[in-house]
Amino acid sequence: MEGEDTEVPEILTDDQTKEAAMDPPADNVDDKEEPVEEPEQAAENNEDSLRTEDEELGIRDEGGDPDPDPKPKQISWDESVEDGPAPQSASKSLINRAIAGMWASREMLTEESDKQVVMKTTLRELIIYCIFLFTIVYMTFSQYSKDYYLLRSRIESLFADQEKITQVKDFWNFAEGSLLDGLYWEELYNKGRVNTKFRCPDGNLAKFPCPVPDTDRNMMYENRMLGVPRIRQLRTGNASCSIYADFEKAIKRCHAPYSFSTEDTEELRWPQPEFRKYTSESAWRYQDATETGSSSFHGKLTTYGGGGNVQNLNYQKNLSAAILAELKQGLWIDQGTRFVAIDFTVYNGNINLFAVVKLVYEIPASGGLIPSADIQIVKLLKYNDGRDYILMAVECLFTVFILYYLIEESLEIKTHGMLYFAHLGNLLDMVVIGVSVTQIILNVVNFIMVRQVLDALIQLPFEFADFSHLSNQVKALTYLSGFNVFVAWIKVFKYLSFNKTMNQLSGTLNACSKDLSGFTVMFLIIFFSFAELGYLLFGSQVEDFKDVTNASYTLFRTILGDFNFVVIEQADWIFGPLYFLSYIFFVFFVLLNVFLAIINDTYGEVKADIKNRKPAFQLGDFFMVGVNNVKCAAGIRDRQLDVENAVKRAAEDDGFVTYQELRENLKHSNFSDLEVDLYFDKFKDDPTMASILLDDEVADEMELENERIRQLEDALEGNDAGDKILDEKDPSEANRMSARPKSGKQARQQRSARIREELSGGEPLEPNRFYSLQERMSRMEATVGPITLKIDRLLERLDDMKKSKRGKKEKMTRFMDALEADNSIDEAAKNQQIADLMKKISFSDSRPGTSANPADI
């Protein structure tokens, strides 16, 4: 079992029950004298009170004896919901019970709810959420496989030569060579022979490389080109930047770095060149993003728009080579060009995957060329085979779960109002629901858009098919799915919070949040000072420090041990080592150890606090109760386990066990009143249990005293407005409020401390305020004496009752010894005498000042 184990005496056998019967039940001490009642009337009243309590507990226990057919108490879910107005119709009551049963959660339970109901609700929530977690994990990961990486890596290796491009001249060489060879696979790999009898698949002799049929011309023989490739460029206009006055006569052209404001929207060549034969008009005339149908792209240098000059290539290699030659001859890429992209999409039917490829070439204003590639592997046709239809069923189940949790969270918001948003677990619920709804919407939109794009492609098979919008949406959906899975796993801690061990992480973070906040401020000040210093010292020489952002990433990597000291030293042989050593000392040896010390100290405190907690009813105990109920059906119920759980449930709220709390919990397990009394008195002799046992009268006095202390503190800490309101109250109410100090000495100390605090603030105490406080102090001191006398008399009576109990116990011991030694009486007569004795004890307990004497029987 979780938590600390509580030692409970062994379950009594039939012989031991006789010996335990000598321990009488605890006496009830009342502050007021009650009239003496006749034994018959007292027994009737006692039986009525027990029957009333049993009815409140939902237990039928006639005569104080256990139910001959004991069954565990069945608790319905609607017990956890506060009673509202009576239902007006049976159908409305049925709907309310159905809602309470389907969407019951721990947040909708009250503090007074039965612990077994809480555990049952927690277990039910955990099981449902585990099914939901499996659903979301399967729905996310079943679509992905290693084929994604294999397809991307093969396409990337096909155009690996583009990484060597550094100038515009290199780009044209690559485009007319490796690019065309990679896009168009029109021949098989054989070289052919003049004298040969081997025939190609088309039936001709293989004197040359065998041609691939037009219907099978796939990239790398397996990937079908969808539409044709397209090349696009973006430019900045002349005079988009200002030239220094001294160089205006020498420098006539100035093209700024690319931005949306400096983008050139004029024609590149107009009228169009006379030699244009293979290129289209759109290659020389600017088109905006709506005409091109392209989306913006975030490159290494900046974000580029979707417009520009575009040229579609042909589905045949020789015609595409002619188009590229014409563009090169017409100086299509000039001084104002800042961005060139080659877009195409292929589909692999073997693995049902699309590859949306964008080969990017950025031309900075400083000159040169920066190549990169954006290859996105997506699965646009989701439902193709049997496994895909299983995925469709899981997605439908996922939608049902989202609707279920939407209703549950709506009910919780209705119950708690704005306090709902103050709990981190509830915020995680809202995040998961919001992201999941977005996923469902994007899936539906993608499904519709895929059909539209494919229909347009079928109608125009030799035009460019832009799949970039779809690939971007699928990429966003992938990010959302990953974030949703992450949050869903983190939210498991919410449902495991019933276990005190699982609360160590959240407890540690909550306890050290203030210390970590202060530490974070100190760390950021030092960290960003080093980042800015590194950027200024090495920004022009070391790539890792080329801007403040990269410098910050580099310093974070340095904390983890990933650094390049040689590059820093080569950049500056004096400040490089000095900068590195100082950063390592302040951040690694000082700040990092301070951070670890804060976490370690707080974790130790939290762990010690959890270890010192009182025993509580945990989920392990709930499972043991279930196992015990199964054993009960087989006639081998473990009564000791019931007692242990009853003690834990009784001590969970305040750490103490009263007779009424123990009786209520044991009644759930069909214990008789006699057994309850015997166990409670047996616990008093147990040294482990004695520290948490508490008489009902003492518990009531402690609660009353705590209430008096709280009201006294409220009265002492009230402001002038509160004093005015108190003075306007009824005098009897004011006297009642002022008659509850802890003691006269403590009240005077509190008032003096408050007066000194007001005087230390530099503001003199107003006369009216001083006299009001003095008058209230006098009234409170006048009531301290009577309260002290009452408390003393109460303590004396408690001592007398304890002495009476000890004497009664001794008499019972002698009586039981004598009864056991008397062999002339049979077993049935002995049991009857014990029952008569217990009945007489109950009669005497209901009459103040009387006690049962075993010798009188």
Side-chain angles (χ1 to χ4, degrees), residues 311-345:
Q311 173 62 53
N312 291 345
L313 301 182
N314 198 275
Y315 69 94
Q316 294 182 350
K317 183 177 181 179
N318 57 342
L319 294 179
S320 296
I323 292 174
L324 291 176
E326 189 171 296
L327 292 176
K328 179 180 179 181
Q329 182 181 359
L331 299 178
W332 191 66
I333 298 177
D334 62 2
Q335 188 176 350
T337 304
R338 292 289 176 263
F339 174 81
V340 177
I342 300 175
D343 298 276
F344 62 92
T345 303

Side-chain angles (χ1 to χ4, degrees), residues 57-346:
L57 297 174
I59 302 172
R60 295 289 184 254
D61 188 7
E62 300 294 341
D65 295 329
D67 193 347
D69 185 17
K71 297 181 180 179
K73 182 185 176 184
Q74 301 295 328
I75 303 175
S76 61
W77 291 110
D78 54 359
E79 290 181 14
S80 61
V81 183
E82 295 183 358
D83 296 335
Q88 299 179 0
S89 63
S91 61
K92 183 176 180 181
S93 176
L94 181 62
I95 293 175
N96 292 336
R97 288 198 301 269
I99 293 177
M102 291 179 61
W103 285 282
S105 62
R106 284 190 303 170
E107 284 74 10
M108 299 178 66
L109 300 179
T110 62
E111 296 181 357
E112 293 78 14
S113 301
D114 187 270
K115 296 303 179 184
Q116 292 196 31
V117 175
V118 175
M119 288 299 170
K120 192 177 295 183
T121 305
T122 302
L123 183 61
R124 170 181 166 275
E125 280 189 293
L126 181 60
I127 294 175
I128 294 177
Y129 186 76
C130 287
I131 300 175
F132 171 72
L133 185 61
F134 171 79
T135 301
I136 191 174
V137 169
Y138 180 84
M139 183 187 69
T140 302
F141 290 97
S142 63
Q143 307 177 50
Y144 299 96
S145 65
K146 62 181 180 180
D147 294 329
Y148 282 71
Y149 172 76
L150 293 176
L151 179 58
R152 186 189 187 281
S153 62
R154 295 307 91 201
I155 295 177
E156 189 175 21
S157 64
L158 191 62
F159 304 102
D161 291 341
Q162 76 161 356
E163 296 296 331
K164 303 176 183 179
I165 299 175
T166 59
Q167 301 295 330
V168 176
K169 181 180 179 180
D170 300 333
F171 166 78
W172 288 116
N173 295 332
F174 168 79
E176 294 176 330
S178 299
L179 177 63
L180 293 178
D181 294 338
L183 292 176
Y184 301 98
W185 293 58
E186 298 179 350
E187 297 176 347
L188 296 177
Y189 53 83
N190 67 312
K191 295 182 180 180
R193 297 177 61 182
V194 177
N195 298 322
T196 182
K197 295 182 180 181
F198 176 76
R199 294 184 179 274
C200 295
D202 58 0
N204 297 324
L205 293 175
K207 295 182 179 181
F208 302 96
C210 294
V212 178
D214 294 341
T215 56
D216 294 333
R217 290 183 178 180
N218 300 329
M219 191 175 71
M220 295 187 294
Y221 303 123
E222 301 291 347
N223 302 278
R224 172 57 59 93
M225 181 75 66
L226 301 180
V228 295
R230 185 180 70 177
I231 182 171
R232 178 172 67 97
Q233 74 157 322
L234 285 171
R235 308 171 67 254
T236 57
N238 189 17
S240 57
C241 56
S242 58
I243 301 175
Y244 195 70
D246 294 342
F247 295 95
E248 287 181 351
K249 294 182 180 181
I251 301 177
K252 300 299 182 180
R253 298 179 63 86
C254 182
H255 296 269
Y258 177 84
S259 65
F260 290 101
S261 60
T262 61
E263 183 176 332
D264 185 13
T265 59
E266 300 295 331
E267 287 79 6
L268 178 60
R269 299 281 190 274
W270 195 261
Q272 297 183 24
E274 298 178 356
F275 59 81
R276 186 177 75 83
K277 180 179 180 181
Y278 299 102
T279 58
S280 63
E281 181 180 346
S282 60
W284 310 97
R285 181 190 293 271
Y286 176 85
Q287 294 179 326
D288 58 20
T290 57
E291 294 177 295
T292 62
S294 300
S295 57
S296 59
F297 176 77
H298 183 73
K300 293 183 177 181
L301 300 180
T302 185
T303 300
Y304 302 93
N309 303 82
V310 298
Q311 173 62 53
N312 291 345
L313 301 182
N314 198 275
Y315 69 94
Q316 294 182 350
K317 183 177 181 179
N318 57 342
L319 294 179
S320 296
I323 292 174
L324 291 176
E326 189 171 296
L327 292 176
K328 179 180 179 181
Q329 182 181 359
L331 299 178
W332 191 66
I333 298 177
D334 62 2
Q335 188 176 350
T337 304
R338 292 289 176 263
F339 174 81
V340 177
I342 300 175
D343 298 276
F344 62 92
T345 303
V346 296

Side-chain angles (χ1 to χ4, degrees), residues 258-536:
Y258 177 84
S259 65
F260 290 101
S261 60
T262 61
E263 183 176 332
D264 185 13
T265 59
E266 300 295 331
E267 287 79 6
L268 178 60
R269 299 281 190 274
W270 195 261
Q272 297 183 24
E274 298 178 356
F275 59 81
R276 186 177 75 83
K277 180 179 180 181
Y278 299 102
T279 58
S280 63
E281 181 180 346
S282 60
W284 310 97
R285 181 190 293 271
Y286 176 85
Q287 294 179 326
D288 58 20
T290 57
E291 294 177 295
T292 62
S294 300
S295 57
S296 59
F297 176 77
H298 183 73
K300 293 183 177 181
L301 300 180
T302 185
T303 300
Y304 302 93
N309 303 82
V310 298
Q311 173 62 53
N312 291 345
L313 301 182
N314 198 275
Y315 69 94
Q316 294 182 350
K317 183 177 181 179
N318 57 342
L319 294 179
S320 296
I323 292 174
L324 291 176
E326 189 171 296
L327 292 176
K328 179 180 179 181
Q329 182 181 359
L331 299 178
W332 191 66
I333 298 177
D334 62 2
Q335 188 176 350
T337 304
R338 292 289 176 263
F339 174 81
V340 177
I342 300 175
D343 298 276
F344 62 92
T345 303
V346 296
Y347 171 70
N348 191 306
N350 302 328
I351 53 179
N352 190 25
L353 291 179
F354 291 78
V356 183
V357 183
K358 183 187 290 291
L359 304 178
V360 178
Y361 309 92
E362 299 177 74
I363 304 175
S366 59
L369 190 145
I370 302 175
S372 61
D374 179 42
I375 305 174
Q376 298 186 28
I377 310 300
V378 293
K379 187 176 183 179
L380 300 179
L381 302 176
K382 297 181 61 175
Y383 311 115
N384 185 42
D385 55 15
R387 291 177 299 177
D388 294 334
Y389 288 108
I390 295 177
L391 173 63
M392 179 187 293
V394 173
E395 289 177 341
C396 294
L397 180 61
F398 173 75
T399 305
V400 173
F401 269 114
I402 295 304
L403 294 176
Y404 171 83
Y405 282 116
L406 271 174
I407 298 176
E408 179 181 295
E409 301 306 316
S410 301
L411 293 176
E412 292 181 5
I413 293 176
K414 181 180 179 181
T415 302
H416 300 286
M418 296 304 296
L419 294 177
Y420 170 88
F421 300 97
H423 194 274
L424 179 60
N426 296 334
L427 296 179
L428 293 179
D429 290 334
M430 298 300 295
V431 169
V432 171
I433 292 176
V435 174
S436 300
V437 171
T438 307
Q439 284 183 257
I440 295 173
I441 296 175
L442 282 179
N443 272 312
V444 175
V445 172
N446 286 345
F447 182 80
I448 297 174
M449 290 186 63
V450 167
R451 300 310 311 172
Q452 294 176 350
V453 173
L454 291 180
D455 291 342
L457 178 63
I458 293 174
Q459 296 177 3
L460 300 173
F462 302 113
E463 294 293 332
F464 173 72
D466 189 6
F467 285 81
S468 59
H469 294 286
L470 286 173
S471 64
N472 290 335
Q473 289 185 5
V474 172
K475 185 177 181 180
L477 182 60
T478 302
Y479 289 165
L480 286 175
S481 301
F483 178 75
N484 204 15
V485 171
F486 172 78
V487 177
W489 277 110
I490 295 298
K491 214 183 77 170
V492 173
F493 286 103
K494 172 186 176 181
Y495 297 98
L496 296 179
S497 59
F498 58 82
N499 189 306
K500 63 181 182 180
T501 304
M502 294 298 176
N503 287 328
Q504 291 184 9
L505 177 60
S506 59
T508 301
L509 295 178
N510 291 332
C512 66
S513 58
K514 293 183 179 180
D515 294 334
L516 286 181
S517 300
F519 169 80
T520 303
V521 174
M522 294 187 299
F523 177 81
L524 292 179
I525 291 174
I526 298 178
F527 181 82
F528 282 110
S529 63
F530 273 100
E532 294 175 356
L533 177 61
Y535 167 64
L536 295 175

